[in-house]
């Protein structure tokens, strides 16, 4: 049994239902060269790690960044608070 991932963009009022803006947000999350996304919050780090868990760490900086942020119970964010 295989699963199919369907990404549906969520729009905010500021996007005013702009289709291009919605798809740009989806594309930013599935890109393999977006290490800024996982470091923005704990939830984003978990989601990035889940989405990119099967990626080769040598080819996916998004996965590498998410792995660093999530390890040791989000020590990355605790260190940034000091």
């Amino acid at each position: 049994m295989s699963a199919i991932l369907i990404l549906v963009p969520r729009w905010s009022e500021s996007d005013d239902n702009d289709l291009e803006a919605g798809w740009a947000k989806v594309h930013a999350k599935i890109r393999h060269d977006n290490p800024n996304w996982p470091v923005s919050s704990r939830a984003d780090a978990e989601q990035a790690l889940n989405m990119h868990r099967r990626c080769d760490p040598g080819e996916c900086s998004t996965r590498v960044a998410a792995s660093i942020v999530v390890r040791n119970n989000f020590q990355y964010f605790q260190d940034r608070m000091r």
Side-chain angles (χ1 to χ4, degrees):
M1 175 186 250
S2 61
I4 297 174
L5 175 66
I6 299 174
L7 298 173
V8 178
R10 286 187 289 167
W11 289 282
S12 65
E13 290 179 18
S14 62
D15 292 334
D16 197 25
N17 292 334
D18 181 9
L19 185 59
E20 285 185 37
W23 284 114
K25 288 178 184 179
V26 169
H27 183 257
K29 289 185 177 187
I30 60 174
R31 283 184 15 216
H32 299 286
D33 63 346
N34 188 5
N36 295 321
W37 172 46
V39 301
S40 58
S41 73
R42 290 176 181 223
D44 287 345
E46 288 178 331
Q47 186 179 16
L49 189 59
N50 187 41
M51 287 179 70
H52 293 272
R53 72 181 176 274
R54 293 187 177 153
C55 294
D56 178 2
E59 298 177 2
C60 182
S61 61
T62 304
R63 177 180 179 215
V64 172
S67 298
I68 291 169
V69 170
V70 171
R71 79 175 140 194
N72 295 331
N73 196 21
F74 297 96
Q75 185 68 37
Y76 174 87
F77 289 114
Q78 296 169 12
D79 291 345
R80 298 301 174 274
M81 301 293 272
R82 295 179 189 162

